[in-house]
């Protein structure tokens, strides 16, 4: 039986990464469902994934054609505005903590998670 201790910064980093992937995946699926039958630019899931990534990070190449698609985009932008800065701050904090651990500094003691395999 191997025992692994998962440190707090590792858990925070995992939460940040999973949050981003969840947001992108959900938005992609919703956009695909709303737009694939009427929008020639979104003919498969990967087109919807491209659309979601470009919409949440930049202006985007094309726009939705249905009201459902437009509502999904508006909601995803609002959710992205609310969550991305908080997640970015958590990511930076996790990376700073990782560097402190690498340099031998001690972090305030929190309960580590123990995983046994």
């Amino acid at each position: 039986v191997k025992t692994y201790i998962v440190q707090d910064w590792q858990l925070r980093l995992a939460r940040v990464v999973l949050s981003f992937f969840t947001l992108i995946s959900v938005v992609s699926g919703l956009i695909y469902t709303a737009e694939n039958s009427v929008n020639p630019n979104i003919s498969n899931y990967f087109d919807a994934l491209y659309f979601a990534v470009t919409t949440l990070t930049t202006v985007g190449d094309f726009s939705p054609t249905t009201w459902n698609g437009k509502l999904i985009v508006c909601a995803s932008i609002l959710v992205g505005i609310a969550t991305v800065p908080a997640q970015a701050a958590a990511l930076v904090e996790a990376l700073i903590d990782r560097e402190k651990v690498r340099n031998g500094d001690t972090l305030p003691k929190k309960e580590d998670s123990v995983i046994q395999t």
Side-chain angles (χ1 to χ4, degrees):
V1 173
K2 290 185 177 182
T3 301
Y4 298 98
I5 296 176
V6 180
Q7 297 176 359
D8 183 56
W9 67 266
Q10 292 170 319
L11 290 174
R12 284 189 285 154
L13 186 61
R15 280 188 213 117
V16 169
V17 170
L18 287 173
S19 303
F20 284 127
F21 281 121
T22 301
L23 179 63
I24 295 295
S25 297
V26 168
V27 169
S28 298
L30 290 173
I31 285 294
Y32 176 75
T33 302
E35 295 284 320
N36 76 320
S37 61
V38 294
N39 192 337
N41 292 319
I42 302 177
S43 59
N44 58 48
Y45 179 78
F46 293 105
D47 290 338
L49 179 65
Y50 172 78
F51 177 79
V53 170
T54 58
T55 299
L56 291 175
T57 58
T58 63
V59 178
D61 293 347
F62 47 89
S63 60
T65 57
T66 65
W67 280 104
N68 290 340
K70 292 175 183 179
L71 288 173
I72 292 166
V73 169
C74 289
S76 67
I77 289 171
L78 292 175
V79 169
I81 288 170
T83 60
V84 169
Q87 293 297 332
L91 176 61
V92 169
E93 188 177 353
L95 293 175
I96 289 171
D97 286 351
R98 183 190 70 161
E99 284 302 311
K100 287 179 181 177
V101 168
R102 279 183 157 180
N103 293 333
D105 297 342
T106 56
L107 299 174
K109 186 66 178 157
K110 295 181 182 177
E111 285 193 35
D112 294 326
S113 299
V114 177
I115 299 173
Q116 293 183 344
T117 59

